[in-house]
Amino acid sequence: MKRAAFAALLAASSLALASPAAAQSDPLAPTGQWSVYSGGAAQLPPMGWNSWNAFALDISEAKLLGSAEAIVDSGLAAKGYRYINIDEGWWARRDADGRLVIRTDKFPSARQTGGRTSFRALTDKLHAMGLKAGIYSDIGRNSCGQIHSDDKANLPSGTVAEREVGLYGHVDQDIGLYFGEWGFDLIKVDACGIRGLPADAPKVVSGEFRALPPLVDSGSLGRTNIAGTKALYTQVARALERANPDNDFIFSLCLWGAADVRSWAREIASTSRTSEDIFPIWGRMLHNMDTALRRPLYAHPGSWNDPDMLYIGAGDFDARHLTEARSHFSLWAMLNAPLIIGYDLRTAAPELMAILGKPEVIALNQDPAGNQAVLAYDSDDVDILVKTLANGEKAVAVLNRTSEPVSATLTAAHLKFAADADIALTDLWSGEARRFRDRQELKLAPHETLLFRVKGSRLLADGHYLSEMPGSVNPAVDGVVAPEVDPLVHRAILPWAGTRVTREGPRYGGWGGAQADSTPYSEQLGIAGRRFDTGIGVLANSRLEVRNAGYRRFTALVGVDDSARDRSQPVTFEVYADGRLVTRSRPMRFGEAPAPLAADVAGAKLVELVARTPGAPRFPDPVTWAEAALRR
């Protein structure tokens, strides 16, 4: 992209983000439209394999096809693992006409007469095997491998311009090549090229690469150009839609949780990375999991949270650590994370293949309701995650985060089930069945996750609490005016930095975003001293979109949450059905008792919940939609 063109794109994006008048006069006004990304083919979390964790830059056609054949021959393809994704290591250079050239020493089938190269023979072969094909690029001029690796043998070569293989300045050309000519079905787009090449970077000073003033600072939201970063990725999304009129594509946005991507990725991408790269270390798995754990309202059919690839097969998740491997897989299934294997499947032990192919666990990940699990209990030692399934049953995962045995109590309240009726648990790993009422005591080995499918009598027999159906609730406007880092993500040592840096601090934007069954800052919901276990916590000056699948009534108790600090402005709560106002509270102030709201939403496809103040405080107070529910 030429400098002037990029400046114009950034200016337009900044205006749209900063000025409500540029888009609509009132961002809290109901639209009657579900705004989560509907382009692409990610109604369910993607499943497949990626070359990076297994081979890094040393990928080849033989290794790729060997892994594809292992997926087919093992039966994993039949269980849903379909995407075979080439990560870095395939570029040779960019030609004078801008066309990308493939390394034919590694991918011999790419060689064509006349000196051109094409991946069409490879993608055709994968398609003939019943698989899908994925490719890798970077939003900047240069890739992560180029910036961070010294393995020159497997990196693009040639002049400075020939080594600029990223999308920057070539979006339409490259997307047209990948999807139109070469026949790919997925693209993963990294962002090292817009964070790693300032003018004083050693590889810029040496003349190896051109400087690109960084838009992203992974350690500082304040130093990150959020609008500019979003503008570049939005350009890719639009190019993908033009190149794929059949909508059969996946846009895997890989910004590692930086640039407040939590707040906007669900508008443009199929999946969005929530963290830095995963490593085969228990603490790093917890770190990656935590970046998605408190974000169930930001993941939906069509656009999913992505805590990075599965590392089953290596390190703390290898064949000697099957407890940890099962935990890793169970948690990714509960989070609706993309199930992308990052291991050399040609050498995988049968025990590992059995974990990756466990149909009962895959079914949780692929459940069509699309509800990411919600935290029912949260601590540094034990987490309890509960997911509502499409058939009305539930799944629950009880995680021992520690390296010591622990005891945990699972209650009917965690499940939103009646305590005086039988609750049936089926262990999805062992097949063991048990029944209980009110509570069940559990023993967990170090790093163990107990995973159950659950049947019981619902507390809300005639409908669902909104916190049970996060896949149908979208915080279109969550009230956050100044993005803040999330302090609750487990801070494990980042292997490539070690303890040489000053600290491993909180870094991912999202603190203050809408939450299920807690306030935006992970406190218990409460209004005027009355505490609630169930509800949606969000900041004032927010608008929630709720998909309505045949429910007739909306009910809630509303008020300013007890955790509010500003307390200077009243909040009015409004409910809209397909854009039509159906009920409104009086203006409510801090300390006032919760007010009941009820509305007829029969026939409406979209319910919108608005909480507004008369002015625009710099930091809006938390408000609570307690016991918010859709009912028959």
Side-chain angles (χ1 to χ4, degrees):
M1 183 188 302
K2 300 295 186 185
R3 184 178 297 274
F6 173 65
L9 176 65
L10 176 55
S13 173
S14 298
L15 177 65
L17 291 173
S19 172
Q24 60 181 55
S25 59
D26 178 8
L28 303 185
T31 67
Q33 299 294 320
W34 179 250
S35 62
V36 174
Y37 190 61
S38 59
Q43 284 304 111
L44 298 174
M47 298 173 63
W49 177 89
N50 180 286
S51 64
W52 180 256
N53 288 348
F55 304 114
L57 290 166
D58 191 21
I59 182 58
S60 68
E61 188 167 354
K63 291 175 179 176
L64 186 89
L65 289 176
S67 299
E69 289 163 1
I71 278 186
V72 172
D73 294 344
S74 67
L76 289 179
K79 294 177 180 179
Y81 293 92
R82 300 178 63 206
Y83 287 89
I84 306 298
N85 303 330
I86 311 169
D87 212 279
E88 283 212 61
W90 64 267
W91 289 301
R93 66 185 181 281
R94 189 183 289 278
D95 268 350
D97 64 357
R99 183 183 174 91
L100 291 165
V101 181
I102 301 161
R103 296 186 59 197
T104 55
D105 60 325
K106 295 286 188 176
F107 294 89
S109 72
R111 188 178 292 110
Q112 291 186 309
T113 57
R116 282 205 160 190
T117 60
S118 172
F119 268 132
R120 174 58 78 169
L122 178 61
T123 61
D124 282 350
K125 187 162 190 175
L126 291 173
H127 292 152
M129 297 167 69
L131 302 171
K132 297 281 190 176
I135 194 72
Y136 171 94
S137 192
D138 193 283
I139 199 72
R141 293 192 190 106
N142 301 98
S143 71
C144 293
Q146 289 179 295
I147 295 167
H148 297 297
S149 175
D150 294 321
D151 181 12
K152 297 290 192 294
N154 290 309
L155 291 173
S157 60
T159 66
V160 170
E162 287 173 336
R163 285 184 275 110
E164 291 179 349
V165 293
L167 290 168
Y168 193 89
H170 297 273
V171 170
D172 284 309
Q173 180 181 25
D174 288 359
I175 295 299
L177 181 69
Y178 294 149
F179 290 85
E181 185 176 332
W182 289 353
F184 280 97
D185 309 288
L186 173 151
I187 187 168
K188 171 185 171 183
V189 182
D190 234 326
C192 292
I194 60 170
R195 79 169 176 181
L197 291 173
D200 60 351
K203 293 186 179 183
V204 172
V205 173
S206 71
E208 187 175 352
F209 302 122
R210 279 197 289 169
L212 183 61
L215 297 178
V216 171
D217 185 322
S218 296
S220 172
L221 282 166
R223 290 193 296 270
T224 291
N225 186 333
I226 295 171
T229 303
K230 179 182 176 182
L232 288 180
Y233 275 104
T234 300
Q235 189 186 26
V236 176
R238 301 293 89 86
L240 283 165
E241 290 162 359
R242 288 191 295 271
N244 293 276
D246 63 355
N247 230 29
D248 187 12
F249 68 93
I250 298 288
F251 179 15
S252 173
L253 194 161
C254 186
L255 190 53
W256 341 284
D260 197 34
V261 69
R262 168 206 60 87
S263 71
W264 51 266
R266 68 193 185 283
E267 301 170 10
I268 64 168
S270 310
T271 70
S272 175
R273 273 278 293 280
T274 58
S275 64
E276 292 279 1
D277 290 1
I278 195 169
F279 286 85
I281 302 167
W282 179 258
R284 289 305 299 183
M285 188 279 290
L286 291 180
H287 172 91
N288 285 52
M289 177 191 70
D290 281 353
T291 62
L293 191 59
R294 296 172 184 84
R295 304 288 174 262
L297 296 175
Y298 295 82
H300 311 85
S303 186
W304 307 99
N305 288 324
D306 176 10
D308 204 5
M309 293 173 277
L310 294 163
Y311 232 128
I312 292 167
D316 289 349
F317 310 101
D318 65 12
R320 298 169 298 173
H321 300 87
L322 296 179
T323 295
E324 287 79 3
R326 281 190 288 268
S327 283
H328 185 4
F329 196 61
S330 297
L331 295 166
W332 261 231
M334 291 291 283
L335 292 175
N336 290 348
L339 297 183
I340 306 296
I341 300 166
Y343 187 63
D344 185 353
L345 293 177
R346 301 172 305 171
T347 61
E351 298 91 339
L352 297 173
M353 297 298 277
I355 289 173
L356 293 167
K358 187 69 171 175
E360 296 86 351
V361 182
I362 292 172
L364 299 185
N365 177 267
Q366 298 288 291
D367 186 78
N371 295 315
Q372 180 177 310
V374 171
L375 275 167
Y377 176 80
D378 181 15
S379 76
D380 289 340
D381 298 328
V382 172
D383 287 328
I384 300 176
L385 289 73
V386 177
K387 172 187 286 195
T388 303
L389 304 175
N391 68 353
E393 296 179 9
K394 298 209 174 184
V396 59
V398 185
L399 163 66
N400 178 4
R401 299 170 68 104
T402 77
S403 57
E404 299 293 331
V406 299
S407 297
T409 303
L410 177 66
T411 71
H414 289 142
L415 300 162
K416 295 183 172 61
F417 282 167
D420 59 355
D422 282 351
I423 297 172
L425 297 177
T426 301
D427 188 310
L428 294 188
W429 288 108
S430 70
E432 177 189 358
R434 63 180 92 179
R435 289 182 176 270
F436 72 97
R437 291 193 175 196
D438 188 25
R439 64 186 60 195
Q440 174 71 52
E441 302 301 322
L442 302 169
K443 302 288 186 183
L444 290 96
H447 296 170
E448 184 177 19
T449 298
L450 295 176
L451 185 66
F452 303 102
R453 200 163 180 123
V454 195
K455 295 181 181 179
S457 298
R458 304 176 50 77
L459 278 177
L460 192 66
D462 64 341
H464 282 88
Y465 293 114
L466 297 194
S467 61
E468 295 180 283
M469 47 188 290
S472 296
V473 181
N474 174 42
V477 180
D478 61 14
V480 175
V481 294
E484 298 180 73
V485 295
D486 188 340
L488 296 185
V489 173
H490 180 77
R491 293 181 299 146
I493 295 172
L494 189 61
W496 65 66
T499 58
R500 298 183 298 276
V501 295
T502 306
R503 65 180 58 81
E504 180 61 30
R507 64 175 65 193
Y508 307 114
W511 195 230
Q515 294 221 47
D517 290 343
S518 84
T519 75
Y521 301 107
S522 294
E523 299 179 59
Q524 185 171 15
L525 300 169
I527 305 172
R530 181 175 172 182
R531 295 185 175 184
F532 298 93
D533 292 327
T534 301
I536 303 294
V538 66
L539 296 178
N541 296 322
S542 57
R543 177 170 59 86
L544 305 172
E545 300 169 346
V546 184
R547 276 180 158 170
N548 179 25
Y551 297 96
R552 301 185 61 82
R553 291 188 303 132
F554 169 81
T555 60
L557 296 163
V558 298
V560 179
D561 194 86
D562 289 343
S563 62
R565 292 173 292 176
D566 182 81
R567 307 180 181 181
S568 63
Q569 297 197 35
V571 179
T572 301
F573 296 82
E574 302 168 339
V575 180
Y576 295 84
D578 286 344
R580 175 178 55 89
L581 179 67
V582 289
T583 190
R584 173 187 286 146
S585 76
R586 58 180 170 78
M588 300 191 64
R589 291 191 173 273
F590 175 82
E592 293 185 341
L597 278 186
D600 180 355
V601 296
K605 293 182 178 179
L606 193 78
V607 176
E608 291 172 90
L609 310 179
V610 175
R612 66 168 73 235
T613 59
R618 185 177 180 191
F619 296 106
D621 279 331
V623 299
T624 291
W625 296 85
E627 298 179 359
L630 286 174
R631 313 177 86 146
R632 300 294 180 190

